[in-house]
Amino acid sequence: MSTLSEKLQAPAEHTAKPVRPSQPVLSVREVRISDQAAGREIVHGVSFDLTPGRTVGIVGESGSGKTLTCRAALGILPAHFEVTGGSIELDGHDITGFSTAEWTSLRGSTISAVFQDPASYLNPSIRVGAQVAEVIRVKKKVRRREARRQTIELLRAVHLRDPELVYGQYTYELSGGMLQRVLIAAAIAAGPRVLIADEATTALDVTVQAEILDLLADLREQTGLALVVVSHDLAVVAQLCDEVLVLRQGEVVEQGPTHEVLHHPRHAYTRLLIAEHEQYGLDRFLAPEEDA
Amino acid sequence: MTTTQAQATPDVRRPVAAAGTRHTLGRVLATLARSIAIFVPVFLVATFVTFALRSLSGLSPARIQLGEDATPEAIARVEAQWGLDRPFLVQYGDWFNGVLHGQLGTSWTNGADISTLIGLGLGVSLSVATFALLIGVVVGFALGTVAALRRTTWIDRAITGFVTAISVMPAFVVGIVLVAVLAVQLKLFPSAGYIPAEQGLGPWLAHITLPAVALSFDVVADVARQLRSSLVAAYRENYVTGAVVRGLGPRRVFFCHVLRNGLGPALATLGLKFPSLVGASVVTEWIFGLQGFGRFANDSAQAGDVPAVQGVLVVSIVLVVVFNLFVNLVLARVTPASQRGV
Amino acid sequence: MIRRVLALPSGRIAVVVLAVIAVLAVFGPLLAPQDPLATSDNTLAAASGAHWLGTDYLGRDVLSRLLDGSRVSVLGSLEVALTALVVGVVPGILSVYLGRAFEWITLRLADTLVALPFLLFAVAVVALLGNGITQAMLVTGVLVSPLFYRVSRAATLAVARSQYVEAAIVSGASLGRVVRRHVWVKVLPPIAVALAQTVGVGFVIVSSLTFLGIGVQPPAPTWGGLLASDLGYLSHRPWAPLTPALLIVVTVWACNLLADAIRDVSGEAGRALLNNRRARANRLDKADPAPAGGAS
């Protein structure tokens, strides 16, 4: 475990920004997102603050706008979608009007993300290790050999058995759980301060899901990473998050400390979610449709 | 902790590197085996069809040598000389055996060795075809890439328009226009003939440029179109989003992630384009007065010299097969995932 | 689908051009102002009132020869396309249903035909099997049929393995009904695209063959033949190849344009096109921060 903390703190030192716990690293204010093709608003005002070492959860059904909100924070909204109201501040900078170069320097080293279906987020034609090493090489400006050494340490840190072997493999040679670990390794390689996990455990089976959630919790404890966890599954959110937003059709219907929301839900929709969970508790076994 | 790591690293590297090499070699062999498994039946079927042409055509060396009013006995004698009185499959077996040994038989019209005759023309045709491929790849890649990077802008539309325009110009039409304008009117290039590279690189290039440009239009258009659409498709892939989110710059995302995957279909197009390049050489060599492979094919076909035509077809099939084998190997190297379970 | 193709400007242009060419093919020989075979002493004349496009090396009226030759070229390319359609689509669809042996054999045959340099092969076959543009076109049709084989096979495969067809069969729809309602709709657009393309390809091949003088008897005029005879007299009439060359290019271009138009109005590409237009209309302010994620 000492390896893990040592490795993961090194990048944080490298970026060398004073971490003030009170200062939010990600601050989302009344954000509205519209689909310009259809000419309608999809997300009607989402707000939350994220400080280092804390976790915000966003729950909601498919198409409720949770993924869009995250993509807005990453600056990767799909074609025709635009932020039409509110503001997003990343490490104290308003992201509106960011140039491509500014985004490039912030992504990876300040904010990063992992997604559902990890295989598709890694290049199928490049060995997975080389893709993690690429991030280290580019973002931390280290030599090839050193990047390779750090990558193997990083792969070990995300609990991949036999990291040397995994380094030289292609995506189609790895299982979903392993790929998600590789994707996490690539995401944290440059020592970001915010990590967005968008349905990161959805397609995995239950034991693997629990392991990945543990890994995320470990990373948060040891590096002061701030997490945004997006899921349709209340159980995932309950396990990791300090604060929860419940989204329904682009509207925040409930927002507050996880404990509060789970035990004293005020909105009917939240109660419905909790009740369904208690009643069936099976939704994690069903592979849900990917949301737009 | 640091010391142990420093010691561990060299040990770690070796097995990975070894595994990597073994992996690569295995992949190359697997690709080769798969490609050969596809091409052997292709070759067999194609040569069989080629050989069957003689029986289907009803042509005979006797007609060519003895003229129209030869006696049946004389015809039978000549045909027996050529071994044409034997059963079809025996003839095919003999001929195929010869093909495997590089023997394509002798010409009906002048009794010359066909392998030698084709060898003489091949240098000309390959010079032109290689140059055409080179132009096609360079220009096609440039146009396709720029169009994809500036997609939905006027640059994209202009390139798409240009590519559409040149894609509908058949090689022989382009050839005639080039001859008319650049050779006859402006006298910038020689209008016909060929000078081997040994007699000077300048004249050699001057003679093959126009035919190569004429042939290249089709390649440029196909490569540009295919590259544009596969690059645009690659940009929509999740792994591009992944690379962007990891903070890689646009240039790096393009060269290391998008281009690599977008390259596959364009390379495959090149493999498919090669046969039509060989085919079009028949027409361009006629226009530019080149004594190449295509001209030889045309002349032999019009003279009814069946073994020569068969020889040309076999050589063209071999060229196509070899070229595609090469393309497949490159493809396996560039996009390993695409080779799986094909 | 036809209405949607006509709704696109490119579709309208393509249809108009092809219609004009079709009229030329049908009525061309009747429209020819002079006998296309009649020679005169007025050789290699420039364009004039009597000879709108001048005369060739035997003093024949070029315009008349062009109009008269259009029928051969157009019929030839249609023959290529229809032969390829029949030879390709039938085994293409059947390969999905008739078991692995049939599938393997047809796939290898398609591989083989693709690997053959078809112009070279067409030249060889036509010269050896002899005479007549029709035989030439039938052979060429067979040689380009793998395009149809692949397109129809891919579309059929996609449909046969799709869940809604399975659902339809499970819910008791007859196979014939499934084919009519679901398969046709998916298979038809790609085949229409391939057909339009193949007509263009056929046109190039017919012109190339006639250019080489293969498959036609000498005095009969063809577009390719006109080009070939012009080539010998470039220094006298440098602009002579322009008209037949333009006619060939424009026809092939119209075929491709039609293929693109069909592709645009069917399937996913069509939807993207519509979305783009709507988005452009909706976006009032020009400020557009890096539209697609990948572009940034």
Side-chain angles (χ1 to χ4, degrees), chain B residues 9 105 141 149-151 168 199 232 246 314 323:
Chain B
T9 317
F141 267 57
L149 288 178
R150 296 276 171 274
R151 60 188 175 280
V168 298
Q199 295 177 27
V232 168
R246 274 170 243 144
V314 167
F323 185 78

Side-chain angles (χ1 to χ4, degrees), chain B residues 125-150:
Chain B
S125 303
L126 284 183
S127 302
V128 175
T130 311
F131 197 31
L133 271 180
L134 196 71
I135 298 173
V137 169
V138 171
V139 179
F141 267 57
L143 290 179
T145 308
V146 172
L149 288 178
R150 296 276 171 274

Side-chain angles (χ1 to χ4, degrees), chain C residues 37 46 54 57 70 106 112 139 144 161 174 205 221 230 262 266 269:
Chain C
L37 301 181
Y57 65 105
S70 55
T106 49
T112 308
V139 171
V144 296
R161 291 193 185 151
S174 75
I205 297 173
D230 289 337
I262 299 172
S266 58

Side-chain angles (χ1 to χ4, degrees), chain C residues 159-274:
Chain C
V159 178
R161 291 193 185 151
S162 70
Q163 284 159 355
Y164 65 86
V165 168
E166 253 172 49
I169 291 174
V170 168
S171 66
S174 75
L175 195 65
R177 189 184 152 75
V178 169
V179 167
R180 271 197 311 278
R181 276 197 51 114
H182 301 286
V183 181
W184 260 149
V185 184
K186 291 279 169 184
V187 176
L188 220 48
I191 289 181
V193 172
L195 193 66
Q197 270 173 342
T198 311
V199 173
V201 170
F203 216 81
V204 173
I205 297 173
V206 182
S207 317
S208 305
L209 289 179
T210 53
F211 175 77
L212 291 170
I214 290 173
V216 277
Q217 298 307 318
T222 58
W223 291 1
L226 274 159
L227 275 176
S229 67
D230 289 337
L231 186 61
Y233 302 92
L234 273 182
S235 42
H236 297 90
R237 297 178 63 227
W239 301 111
L242 201 67
T243 325
L246 263 183
L247 267 176
I248 293 172
V249 168
V250 166
T251 312
V252 179
W253 173 71
C255 290
N256 288 6
L257 205 60
L258 185 63
D260 288 346
I262 299 172
R263 203 187 339 242
D264 281 349
V265 298
S266 58
E268 176 142 16
R271 235 169 293 130
L273 198 76
L274 285 177

